Amino acid sequence: MLSKVFSTAISGLDAQIIEAEVNCSYGLRHFEIVGLPDKTVEESRERVGAAIESSGFLSPHHQPVRILVSLAPADLRKEGSLYDLPIALGYLLAAEKIKFNPQNKVFLGELALDGRLRSIKGALSSALVAKDKGFTELILPKGNAAEAGLIKGIKIVGVDSLKEAVDYLKGEKEIFSQKTNPEDFLKIPDCPVDLGYIKGQTSAKRALEITASGSHHLLMIGPPGAGKTLLAKAIPSILPQLSFEESLEVTKIYSVAGLLSKNKPLINLRPFRSPHHTSSEIALIGGGNPPRPGEITLAHRGVLFLDEFPEFHRNVLESLRQPIEEGEITVLRAKHSLTLPARFTLVAATNPCPCGFYGDAEKKCSCSPAQIQMYRRKLSGPLMDRVDLFINVPALKYEKLTSIDEENSSRKIREKVTTAREIQKERFKSEKILTNSEMEIPQIKKYCQIDSKSQNLLRNYVNSGKLSARGYHRVLKVARTIADLDNSENISFNHLSETLLYRARES
Ligand SMILES: Nc1ncnc2c1ncn2[C@@H]1O[C@H](COP(=O)(O)OP(=O)(O)OP(=O)(O)O)[C@@H](O)[C@H]1O
Ligand SMILES: [Mg+2]
């Protein structure tokens, strides 16, 4: 007998419908899976056999049957353990052990040897494609039901075991559709560090406000203990809430990476990723076999914080150039390439030199000129050319350390940031971007007009070599954000002058 059940295959972040055909005939004992399966899919044979037996059916391993499973389309690579459930059900149908109508249903799930179902990766993307292709039911592990339940218009059936799936399909057990209400997950948890708790550093806080508003890239330079890491840790407390569309986008990434928690099926907080400086290129930009999203994709729509920036391997830093520019990363695989989103805000922190006190008013720097030059070389080059704001974070004097900064509580700053983001959303509603940092040259021309006095100022900067052509465009984008924070339609001379304060590197 031949049976056909539907499942999905994940490629990148998106899923595709696949068919699992199972042919069962009497003959020498044999169990084969064809259709570009990876090792985990091949091992499915053993799990499926044991789970079927544990669920009270006769195991195919103990009977004179020949089973051929074909996963189609054959040229699409099938990865992971999610085919256990469709293969087991396909076999039970083909061997006429049970009867049900597999039409309009999609199945996913990894089987444990005792027949229980384990959660799989990418359930949200699978639910999306199943609904789009007109399927009416998705049967999957209970652990994945909450994330799949975010998708309306398809019945989401969460089951604990193969036995429960069979009972449901035979009509012997009723299971209601899982519905997840995104509103239940809108409340943002409190961030452990509030900007208001950090003393002084007013200009650094203002730079963080601008960065969070326009999604601009920032580098903080300062001596040890000045508070750079602390300031960065406060960033999540001022980032604007994700819209529902953005939340779904980010949740899909975490679902495919297997990082979604069962209790929190929707990610509503902008990601803040801070990989260690020993991280490899693959860990940062993604790839490997099977390919995984890297830190830059996990930071999509949020912040990638690189602390101790010059300590990162040079090739790792260089590999960030292309994704910073394009907002996505293409990972090469054996036969084809995979493109993943990576629109993140880069925040980096560094000491000015190896001992940390170069340029300090109080302490003397103990580095040799050659050491300083070597260190600084890492802070120049093409990646630094893509940074929008450079700020000095000086060591604080005692009086400032004891004063309280009520003006800059995270709540107040987040309100300003949110308003500035709304202005940008409205401005770009007919374009494909969300923030000022994403503007390309035609959009800069359109939205970043400046008066003649401002033009003269910028001309001086460019002519004296303080500003590169790329730097020039970056300055205009940041000035646009400062004007938005001021709720001003035009970029004024003051907005531009403030922007140039954040080009400390050039002055
Ligand atoms: N402005 C500040 N307000 C309150 N506490 C501060 C401030 N700056 C520094 N601190 C205190 O100093 C500690 C060290 O700060 P932090 O780790 O952020 O320094 P850093 O600039 O990252 O130093 P390094 O260059 O060595 O990494 C903080 O944990 C905090 O307790
Ligand atoms: Mg630090």
Side-chain angles (χ1 to χ4, degrees):
M1 268 286 285
L2 181 73
S3 75
K4 187 162 90 176
V5 295
F6 295 96
S7 189
T8 62
I10 307 276
S11 162
L13 292 185
D14 294 314
Q16 227 172 295
I17 296 289
I18 67 140
E19 291 175 6
E21 281 179 310
V22 183
N23 186 30
C24 197
S25 54
Y26 284 92
L28 277 184
R29 224 167 34 227
H30 186 74
F31 193 158
E32 193 181 356
I33 301 175
V34 297
L36 224 55
D38 78 345
K39 186 128 184 56
T40 333
V41 179
E42 279 177 10
E43 287 166 358
S44 182
R45 286 180 302 203
E46 307 309 322
R47 290 190 300 271
V48 164
I52 285 180
E53 193 169 315
S54 310
S55 306
F57 302 99
L58 266 183
S59 165
H61 292 312
H62 299 302
Q63 295 173 74
V65 283
R66 226 185 119 75
I67 305 163
L68 178 66
V69 178
S70 164
L71 303 173
D75 58 350
L76 185 72
R77 199 156 175 78
K78 323 292 182 316
E79 281 156 3
S81 49
L82 71 166
Y83 304 113
D84 291 358
L85 181 65
I87 290 175
L89 289 170
Y91 161 74
L92 291 175
L93 263 185
E96 297 180 319
K97 309 253 180 222
I98 57 170
K99 260 198 186 137
F100 68 90
N101 179 5
Q103 283 304 306
N104 298 321
K105 298 182 181 74
V106 172
F107 300 92
L108 315 166
E110 173 180 331
L111 282 169
L113 301 187
D114 61 2
R116 273 180 307 115
L117 275 170
R118 292 211 174 102
S119 302
I120 44 99
K121 296 176 184 172
L124 179 60
S125 307
S126 299
L128 266 169
V129 73
K131 190 210 118 183
D132 285 349
K133 296 287 175 200
F135 287 85
T136 53
E137 281 181 50
L138 174 64
I139 291 114
L140 82 179
K142 214 172 221 155
N144 294 115
E147 60 173 292
L150 287 163
I151 306 304
K152 309 261 170 306
I154 176 164
K155 182 172 182 188
I156 304 294
V157 182
V159 285
D160 270 328
S161 62
L162 175 62
K163 174 87 174 52
E164 195 179 9
V166 169
D167 289 346
Y168 169 75
L169 292 164
K170 289 202 301 195
E172 289 170 5
K173 178 168 186 175
E174 193 173 2
I175 299 178
F176 294 106
S177 179
Q178 163 82 34
K179 289 197 173 64
T180 307
N181 183 3
E183 309 257 309
D184 294 346
F185 302 95
L186 284 188
K187 196 179 171 307
I188 307 185
D190 287 335
C191 173
V193 187
D194 191 290
L195 216 51
Y197 300 158
I198 304 175
K199 315 282 191 305
Q201 305 298 14
T202 328
S203 67
K205 288 175 189 170
R206 170 72 172 160
L208 290 185
E209 175 181 313
I210 297 166
T211 288
S213 299
S215 189
H216 303 292
H217 307 307
L218 169 77
L219 175 68
M220 294 187 267
I221 310 166
K228 302 178 295 296
T229 305
L230 193 64
L231 283 160
K233 283 189 179 153
I235 295 177
S237 69
I238 61 166
L239 289 174
Q241 180 128 26
L242 287 165
S243 68
F244 180 63
E245 292 72 34
E246 286 175 317
S247 275
L248 271 190
E249 225 183 321
V250 176
T251 305
K252 244 165 90 170
I253 294 172
Y254 281 73
S255 163
V256 166
L259 296 172
L260 207 57
S261 106
K262 196 171 128 190
N263 307 325
K264 206 165 166 290
L266 182 71
I267 293 189
N268 62 339
L269 198 65
R270 283 186 194 270
F272 179 85
R273 305 290 302 185
S274 51
H276 193 253
H277 59 72
T278 51
S279 300
S280 67
E281 192 176 328
I282 285 189
L284 217 69
I285 70 162
N289 192 17
R292 284 168 199 276
E295 289 291 335
I296 60 170
T297 297
L298 296 173
H300 182 62
R301 301 278 174 221
V303 169
L304 180 74
F305 175 47
L306 302 185
D307 206 357
E308 317 288 348
F309 183 70
E311 305 291 329
F312 280 82
H313 296 295
R314 204 181 179 104
N315 62 330
V316 172
L317 294 181
E318 292 299 305
S319 65
L320 291 176
R321 284 162 54 183
Q322 182 248 337
I324 282 191
E325 210 88 333
E326 291 168 15
E328 57 184 31
I329 177 75
T330 301
V331 188
L332 289 176
R333 303 191 50 198
K335 274 193 188 138
H336 50 270
S337 62
L338 196 70
T339 299
L340 297 169
R343 190 158 296 287
F344 58 91
T345 306
L346 175 71
V347 175
T350 176
N351 295 134
C353 65
C355 85
F357 294 103
Y358 179 78
D360 194 273
E362 309 279 314
K363 288 200 180 143
K364 207 169 165 326
C365 167
S366 60
C367 306
S368 69
Q371 274 178 312
I372 297 175
Q373 215 184 5
M374 274 254 294
Y375 199 78
R376 293 234 139 186
R377 205 173 295 150
K378 275 208 162 168
L379 298 183
S380 59
L383 183 60
M384 279 299 108
D385 213 28
R386 286 157 171 85
V387 170
D388 305 288
L389 297 101
F390 296 86
I391 47 157
N392 288 316
V393 183
L396 286 188
K397 290 266 184 331
Y398 179 75
E399 307 80 69
K400 286 212 172 146
L401 261 178
T402 47
S403 63
I404 293 174
D405 188 359
E406 281 175 0
E407 243 331 279
N408 284 316
S409 74
S410 289
R411 192 182 53 77
K412 280 190 185 165
I413 306 271
R414 179 180 264 153
E415 272 171 24
K416 287 167 80 176
V417 168
T418 304
T419 312
R421 280 270 175 128
E422 273 159 15
I423 293 173
Q424 294 168 68
K425 205 171 169 187
E426 179 63 24
R427 170 183 307 129
F428 301 128
K429 64 174 186 269
S430 56
E431 326 230 6
K432 275 197 181 134
I433 60 174
L434 292 171
T435 58
N436 291 334
S437 69
E438 295 166 58
M439 279 191 279
E440 303 274 354
I441 289 171
Q443 291 154 329
I444 296 176
K445 284 223 165 77
K446 190 165 163 198
Y447 300 115
C448 303
Q449 295 286 345
I450 49 173
D451 59 24
S452 58
K453 194 173 155 199
S454 304
Q455 281 174 9
N456 286 338
L457 180 66
L458 270 190
R459 187 173 305 123
N460 285 339
Y461 261 75
V462 175
N463 286 347
S464 61
K466 284 182 187 168
L467 209 54
S468 67
R470 192 187 267 129
Y472 169 82
H473 288 122
R474 297 205 164 259
V475 162
L476 287 176
K477 293 200 257 187
V478 175
R480 180 65 266 166
T481 299
I482 294 179
D484 289 341
L485 277 165
D486 202 15
N487 208 351
S488 161
E489 193 162 338
N490 298 317
I491 300 175
S492 72
F493 182 74
N494 284 349
H495 297 143
L496 191 75
S497 310
E498 186 187 345
T499 310
L500 292 167
L501 293 179
Y502 307 116
R503 304 296 297 188
R505 202 171 64 119
E506 270 109 3
S507 52

